[in-house]
Amino acid sequence: MTGGLGTIVRAGVGRRRVQTLVMGLTTTLAVTAAVLAAGLIVASEGPFDHAFNRMRGAHLSARFDSSQITPAQVSATARARQVTTAAGPYPLVSVKPTPVDTDGGLPPGIQLADLTVVGRQPGGPVDDLTLTKGRWATKPGEIVMSAHNEPFVLGNTMRFPGVPGDRLFKVVGIARSAGETADAWVPRTTIPSLTAPGSRADYQMLYRFETASTHAQMDADRTAIAALAPGRSLVGVQPWLKVRLAATRVSATFAPFIVAFGILGLIMSILVIGIVVGGAVAAGTRRIGILKSLGFTPGQVVRAHLGQALIPGGAGTLLGLVFGNLVAIPVLGDTAEVYGVGRAGIAPWVDVLVAAVALLTIAAGAWVPARRAGNLRTVEAITMGRTPSRDRGRVARRMLGRLPLPRPLTLGLATPFARPGRSATMAVAVAVGTIGATFGIGLALSLNGVQSGINLRSPGDVVVGDPTSAVNTEKVDAAITRQPGTGQWFNSAEANLGVAGLAGSTTVISYQGDSSWASWQMIRGRWFHGTGEVVTASGFLRATGTRIGDSIALVNGSRSSTVKIVGEALDVRQEGMLIVLDRTSIAPLQPRIDPLSYRFNVRLKPGVDRDDYIEAANRDLEPLGVSATRNSNKLSDTVVSMDALAGALTVLLLSVAGLGVLNTAVLDTRERVRDLGVLKALGMSPRQTTAMVITSVAGVGLIAGVIGVPIGVAVHGVVLPIMGHAAGTDIPAVDAAVYDLPLVIPLLLGGLVIATAGALLPAGWAARTRTAIALRTE
Amino acid sequence: MEKTTGSEAGPLISISHLTKRYEAGDPALSDLTLEIRRGEAPAVLGPSGSGKSTLLNMIAGLDRPDEGTVTVDGVRVDRLGEAGSAKYRRATIGMVFQFFNLLDDLTVQDNVLLPAQLAGMPRAKARERALELLADLGIEQYRGTFPGRLSGGERQRVALARALMNRPPLILADEPTGALDRASAGSVVRLIRELNERGQTILLVTHDTGLAASCATRTIELVDGRLVRDGAAVTQ
Ligand SMILES: Nc1ncnc2c1ncn2[C@@H]1O[C@H](COP(=O)(O)OP(=O)(O)O)[C@@H](O)[C@H]1O
Ligand SMILES: [Mg+2]
């Protein structure tokens, strides 16, 4: 850059301080949003698969019986044609831990279920282990627990009764295995001290295969391994697909809305950066003319303006990257938790890509108008700066001028037509903001609706449950009936029954007592009444291809009984493979009801104090091994994090839109400073000036609202069912229909609010500008 | 708006010990005292930078003096706030500038209508007045034209029509012929003289003694912000 050019650029950046600041700020926020948006999209794109591949997860972990196979023979199974890499054999034992000190988490001394403990280190060609807390075990008496295995946390101690030495083991680290290949790990040398006398440690071998994405492929892979192992030495396998299914269910519910927000954020960022930069350069047209009259070539002019845009734009991009990555830590942390893939920051390539796109957008946004100005004949450029050609949109402006409104308002309304391109871009930006707000708020309302729908499964004021042993239901029934405060009540419990034509068993929830007020949230049809009618969750209907009105046969051994489906209710447990009915409907089948699953829901008589009731009831109930508690319905963690995420993203989108408007209004005001001076000289008051500047963006804001709200509603209409589908349910119409008038009207006006908020600052500035100074800018 | 004296009889403009400083250095106007009666057409003369426009801005309430008072038609202009001075300008002042200062995206008629619309004059009445003025100034054929299509002289007529719209007692004209060729300048000068003959008070600012001579009833000469001469019109 020549010395002269450098001076021009520095002067341009320095003199237009407000504009430079707004441009930097907008770029910062837009890039922050873009980093977050792209990061979220990337994170939601097969997060499990990504984490799995990054950690070289085991497609199959196999357990070999050490009495039937030698380590060399185990290693030899890796020669199977389908195997790409393998690791092992590692020594493996199954031991039952007894908690010693778990910080009050577990009662000491009880015996827990088998833990699969493997003797190995992290790393290796397959199944790299990621420490999420603490450190790796190095000494005898140290153990690292798997992150998927809940009960033990860092610092807890346990014993393994029956092993030599009965040493105390301390949890020194928590690690994550992508394929969940073990419950705990110790150094290989510790395994003998975990092997009971007279038994032997088995071998674990971990494989990755050429193809492993379907059950059929996995079966073939497993058969190939088994074929290379002698006899029946392959005693257990764990295919990764099982782990994958569990891990991806939640992420699949998140992904649709995160992607929707991400796309909105990216569009918004590009638009706003584009208008901000383009506007700034276009505002400098007259200056370009003067530079050319001094002998600058068009090329130099273009470069000068690129420089002027890239300095604040580059600074904003840099800051935006920093902020984006910082904001991503909690946001992605939340989602990573849900995705079950451990810590996930912004991938470096996302940063690079966003920065490149941002800088390119800035450069393009500056280049187009700068080149246009650079190619103008000098005289035109100079006069254009003074009296910008306003041939565009004159018809519209004249018609607006005829409206029976005060002149300052019609002048304001006409302003956008002077720069139709910029106004249209801004309208789109505000519309995108409105789409985001409409969708985000609607989503939050729907999710909360679904949550309260799900909460309907447990109605009433008081719940009696948590049995510690098999409950004598008759005695509990009698105790509840005895309480004078008891209004209506019923009990429910689970049993597993067969359904004719369906493999395996299905969970049946049966109600006893007055269940007329116990209706779940219905998606279609109605709640059951009496014997012979059932309600099912969506998953069941989908899996069996049945519909409301169909009859199904419930089977227990040789007995069967036919019931009619009368309704589809909201539930996402067990993929919706649930049947709900009155217990009399299955009495003839003599099902085995899970004795620990009994719950009693009680609705109190009006005016009865809940806590008094609970106290009185518990005196009778506790001897029976159950207790009464308040029925408190909590929001699920998933709904809470979805709400938080949707809220944060909405706010971010709206801020970017607001800044875009602010910038446009600043530019417009600056360009119109002479006109404002003239109007003031003709007697326009500060209030009239403010009204004019605000109406100059209000029209755009209103139109953006009118366009944005229906699109937002449509996005909601598309995304919500996808999320529901991923969770295994249809969405009840009442939860989907959140856009009622009291919500839609403020949303429609939302664009107006964004636009006005963005315009207020320059409006005040315009109202205060000294007229004499404004006229001198001539 | 506060009125100090019974206005009709007194001078239209009364300036007393007016001083205006912009930054450090010599003031743009210093200790200026001056009266202008109704019906006069004084010309403020002086070289470029002598403070003529500054004086006009003070009278129009576009800027505030540092010392002294400015009273126009009984209104203490130097004490008005932003809203007050806007109202004052609507009612009392019509301004004409060297570079016309028309709004380029409004038609000639819409430009002329602006002061009336800002003052809230009924539509029909405003339209009638605008058409009458345009006809009077011989530019009614350009009613629907945008200013960018007009010659300098035509534009200045539009500006004059706009200044006259609210029938202000005072017209302030800052170098109204400064951007015009000889012929156009001549016709604008004739217009100003005619207006004054019909009783309109016009304060004319110019550095052109020829212009002053041809239409002013009195000349006020400024040098470096000081009044150096105030007397009858110079004749060439
Ligand atoms: N807004 C302003 N800020 C700073 N200085 C100004 C401003 N307006 C005028 N001046 C200065 O005041 C002096 C008088 O200016 P002006 O009234 O425009 O002169 P004239 O109209 O006679 O040419 C000049 O020196 C000018 O530079
Ligand atoms: Mg001047």
Side-chain angles (χ1 to χ4, degrees):
Chain A
M1 209 180 270
T2 62
L5 218 50
T7 316
I8 298 291
V9 171
R10 269 193 302 280
V13 172
R15 259 190 21 89
R16 297 168 183 272
R17 240 171 274 147
V18 178
Q19 195 175 296
T20 303
L21 191 79
V22 173
M23 191 198 273
L25 210 66
T26 316
T27 322
T28 304
L29 208 57
V31 169
T32 305
V35 166
L36 202 58
L40 282 170
I41 292 179
V42 170
S44 68
E45 178 53 43
F48 178 83
D49 293 358
H50 281 290
F52 191 84
N53 286 327
R54 196 174 61 238
M55 292 164 73
R56 301 185 298 281
H59 288 140
L60 189 80
S61 70
R63 180 175 179 165
F64 293 95
D65 180 351
S66 58
S67 60
Q68 300 186 45
I69 192 169
T70 66
Q73 285 173 313
V74 175
S75 298
T77 58
R79 275 190 234 119
R81 194 169 38 82
Q82 289 95 329
V83 174
T84 54
T85 23
Y90 303 118
L92 172 153
V93 290
S94 289
V95 277
K96 290 185 168 37
T98 291
V100 175
D101 179 9
T102 58
D103 252 343
L106 293 168
I110 63 163
Q111 193 170 63
L112 298 174
D114 270 343
L115 277 189
T116 304
V117 185
V118 171
R120 61 168 286 204
Q121 299 291 319
V126 181
D127 192 31
D128 191 6
L129 303 171
T130 321
L131 266 182
T132 58
K133 286 196 191 88
R135 58 175 176 81
W136 200 252
T138 54
K139 291 200 294 280
E142 293 181 345
I143 189 167
V144 170
M145 302 297 299
S146 167
H148 77 263
N149 199 322
E150 289 286 336
F152 293 99
V153 297
L154 204 62
N156 287 177
T157 52
M158 68 192 85
R159 290 189 305 109
F160 297 95
V163 302
D166 194 8
R167 179 192 284 279
L168 191 68
F169 277 81
K170 183 172 182 185
V171 180
V172 295
I174 304 288
R176 192 180 283 280
S177 155
E180 294 177 9
T181 55
D183 300 318
W185 296 274
V186 293
R188 187 185 271 268
T189 49
T190 306
I191 289 292
S193 70
L194 284 171
T195 312
S199 68
R200 306 170 56 162
D202 283 339
Y203 300 120
Q204 182 182 61
M205 190 74 185
L206 305 171
Y207 308 88
R208 283 175 67 79
F209 298 106
E210 200 88 52
T211 51
S213 40
T214 65
H215 287 285
Q217 287 168 352
M218 285 303 309
D219 281 346
D221 293 335
R222 189 184 52 78
T223 314
I225 300 289
L228 291 180
R232 293 166 174 270
S233 60
L234 177 61
V235 287
V237 290
Q238 168 157 296
W240 74 303
L241 290 175
K242 209 178 92 193
V243 180
R244 183 177 192 250
L245 183 72
T248 48
R249 181 163 319 113
V250 185
S251 76
T253 11
F254 261 76
F257 98 87
I258 285 175
V259 169
F261 263 113
I263 291 172
L264 289 177
L266 289 177
I267 295 176
M268 172 80 96
S269 305
I270 289 181
L271 281 180
V272 166
I273 293 178
I275 26 173
V276 166
V277 173
V281 174
T285 303
R286 181 166 136 80
R287 197 158 162 274
I288 291 173
I290 296 172
L291 291 180
K292 286 181 69 185
S293 74
L294 296 176
F296 279 85
T297 65
Q300 283 174 314
V301 166
V302 171
R303 263 177 285 148
H305 280 79
L306 276 183
Q308 257 171 59
L310 281 173
I311 289 174
T317 305
L318 216 65
L319 269 177
L321 286 181
V322 173
F323 286 147
N325 281 276
L326 285 180
V327 176
I329 293 172
V331 173
L332 284 185
D334 267 6
T335 42
E337 202 59 36
V338 190
Y339 289 156
V341 293
R343 219 167 325 137
I346 298 286
W349 68 266
V350 170
D351 282 336
V352 173
L353 189 71
V354 168
V357 171
L359 292 176
L360 268 176
T361 311
I362 295 169
W367 189 74
V368 173
R371 211 182 69 109
R372 195 180 328 127
N375 288 340
L376 277 180
R377 286 192 301 117
T378 310
V379 184
E380 278 173 341
I382 293 179
T383 39
M384 256 185 70
R386 179 182 298 148
T387 55
S389 133
R390 296 271 168 85
D391 269 345
R392 289 164 298 193
R394 272 189 171 154
V395 177
R397 277 180 286 149
R398 273 172 90 168
M399 286 177 36
L400 284 170
R402 304 274 177 275
L403 286 178
L405 287 173
R407 192 59 173 138
L409 300 189
T410 54
L411 281 175
L413 286 177
T415 308
F417 295 95
R419 294 208 171 270
R422 185 194 294 172
S423 309
T425 321
M426 188 182 82
V428 175
V430 176
V432 171
T434 311
I435 295 173
T438 306
F439 170 53
I441 294 171
L443 184 68
L445 289 174
S446 290
L447 289 176
N448 293 343
V450 167
Q451 181 66 55
S452 8
I454 286 177
N455 288 344
L456 282 181
R457 291 178 321 201
S458 177
D461 305 300
V462 173
V463 177
V464 178
D466 280 336
T468 48
S469 57
V471 186
N472 183 330
T473 54
E474 272 121 56
K475 283 189 178 162
V476 176
D477 283 350
I480 293 175
T481 316
R482 251 197 326 274
Q483 304 302 321
T486 301
Q488 291 162 293
W489 66 277
F490 63 86
N491 77 56
S492 62
E494 293 180 13
N496 285 313
L497 289 173
V499 173
L502 203 61
S505 66
T506 301
T507 303
V508 175
I509 303 176
S510 60
Y511 283 68
Q512 187 178 44
D514 175 10
S515 59
S516 62
W517 58 286
S519 174
W520 294 8
Q521 186 163 65
M522 301 306 296
I523 297 167
R524 286 176 203 91
R526 58 168 176 83
W527 189 238
F528 64 83
H529 299 306
T531 314
E533 292 187 349
V534 302
V535 163
T536 78
S538 309
F540 180 87
L541 296 181
R542 215 172 280 156
T544 55
T546 46
R547 273 179 295 177
I548 291 173
D550 289 355
S551 289
I552 50 170
L554 299 175
V555 185
N556 188 25
S558 58
R559 298 170 225 266
S560 95
S561 118
T562 301
V563 290
K564 188 172 166 206
I565 303 172
V566 296
E568 177 182 354
L570 175 68
D571 202 335
V572 291
R573 291 174 299 180
Q574 305 182 28
E575 278 92 70
M577 290 300 287
L578 288 171
I579 297 173
V580 198
L581 40 62
D582 194 277
R583 200 161 300 147
T584 54
S585 300
I586 50 169
L589 302 179
Q590 297 175 3
R592 194 190 98 79
I593 292 180
D594 176 0
L596 296 183
S597 70
Y598 277 101
R599 273 170 81 88
F600 302 75
N601 288 62
V602 182
R603 182 189 265 172
L604 301 182
K605 285 185 178 148
V608 176
D609 183 89
R610 177 149 60 165
D611 292 320
D612 291 349
Y613 178 91
I614 290 173
E615 207 187 313
N618 272 340
R619 274 194 294 273
D620 289 350
L621 291 170
E622 260 152 23
L624 302 173
V626 289
S627 58
T629 50
R630 282 166 161 267
N631 184 16
S632 59
N633 281 313
K634 282 191 227 94
L635 281 177
S636 87
D637 287 349
T638 311
V639 169
V640 169
S641 26
M642 282 193 188
D643 279 356
L645 204 55
L649 294 172
T650 305
V651 168
L652 198 62
L653 273 183
L654 291 182
S655 316
V656 178
L659 266 183
V661 178
L662 169 69
N663 179 79
T664 309
V666 165
L667 282 177
D668 277 344
T669 312
R670 195 180 276 283
E671 278 173 28
R672 296 175 60 83
V673 85
R674 184 195 65 113
D675 287 3
L676 286 170
V678 173
L679 288 166
K680 287 175 86 176
L682 298 178
M684 183 176 268
S685 68
R687 193 161 359 128
Q688 288 174 318
T689 312
T690 308
M692 181 177 74
V693 175
I694 288 179
T695 38
S696 72
V697 294
V700 166
L702 207 59
I703 291 171
V706 169
I707 296 171
V709 171
I711 298 181
V713 172
V715 172
H716 177 271
V718 170
V719 171
L720 193 66
I722 299 180
M723 292 172 71
H725 194 87
T729 180
D730 284 354
I731 303 290
V734 284
D735 298 330
V738 290
Y739 296 105
D740 50 4
L741 222 51
L743 176 62
V744 166
I745 288 174
L747 283 174
L748 277 176
L749 298 178
L752 192 69
V753 173
I754 302 177
T756 310
L760 270 180
L761 208 69
W765 177 63
R768 276 193 308 274
T769 312
R770 306 300 314 232
T771 318
I773 296 171
L775 287 172
R776 277 181 75 87
T777 18
E778 173 64 27
Chain B
M1 256 187 273
E2 54 180 313
K3 297 238 174 184
T4 44
T5 52
S7 51
E8 289 305 309
L12 181 61
I13 306 178
S14 167
I15 291 169
S16 142
H17 302 291
L18 179 65
T19 297
K20 175 72 187 177
R21 280 177 214 92
Y22 281 111
E23 275 127 38
D26 293 337
L29 287 176
S30 72
D31 200 28
L32 198 75
T33 300
L34 188 67
E35 279 194 353
I36 290 164
R37 290 183 304 280
R38 281 163 210 283
E40 274 194 296
V44 179
L45 275 169
S48 178
S50 56
K52 309 181 294 292
S53 296
T54 305
L55 174 61
L56 221 59
N57 288 343
M58 298 297 143
I59 295 173
L62 291 175
D63 212 343
R64 284 191 179 210
D66 293 303
E67 285 159 40
T69 62
V70 178
T71 311
V72 178
D73 203 15
V75 178
R76 271 293 294 277
V77 179
D78 55 292
R79 285 200 194 155
L80 292 175
E82 282 286 324
S85 67
K87 253 191 235 163
Y88 153 76
R89 279 193 292 277
R90 276 180 218 161
T92 316
I93 305 284
M95 291 189 87
V96 178
F97 305 88
Q98 176 175 4
F99 293 106
F100 328 118
N101 276 337
L102 298 174
L103 298 192
D104 306 295
D105 49 0
L106 297 184
T107 60
V108 163
Q109 176 172 312
D110 284 343
N111 263 288
V112 173
L113 278 170
L114 269 176
Q117 290 168 325
L118 291 174
M121 190 190 289
R123 280 184 161 237
K125 206 174 134 202
R127 266 178 71 87
E128 194 183 317
R129 167 86 181 141
L131 291 178
E132 176 191 310
L133 276 170
L134 289 173
D136 223 21
L137 295 174
I139 43 174
E140 71 267 55
Q141 69 272 34
Y142 301 129
R143 223 149 43 94
T145 314
F146 288 90
R149 303 263 154 85
L150 302 183
S151 74
E154 288 158 345
R155 285 191 220 189
Q156 201 57 299
R157 280 162 190 261
V158 177
L160 252 175
R162 189 176 66 180
L164 291 166
M165 187 67 198
N166 287 355
R167 301 179 200 277
L170 177 63
I171 296 280
L172 301 174
D174 193 348
E175 311 270 11
T177 58
L180 301 182
D181 60 71
R182 269 196 163 280
S184 312
S187 78
V188 168
V189 165
R190 236 171 293 127
L191 261 174
I192 290 176
R193 205 161 45 203
E194 271 172 43
L195 279 171
N196 178 242
E197 277 159 11
R198 285 192 248 159
Q200 177 71 53
T201 315
I202 301 178
L203 182 60
L204 181 69
V205 161
T206 179
H207 63 274
D208 174 1
T209 45
L211 171 66
S214 58
C215 61
T217 58
R218 167 188 174 189
T219 52
I220 297 161
E221 223 177 304
L222 292 184
V223 173
D224 293 339
R226 288 170 198 283
L227 189 76
V228 295
R229 212 184 89 96
D230 182 359
V234 278
T235 35
Q236 276 185 323

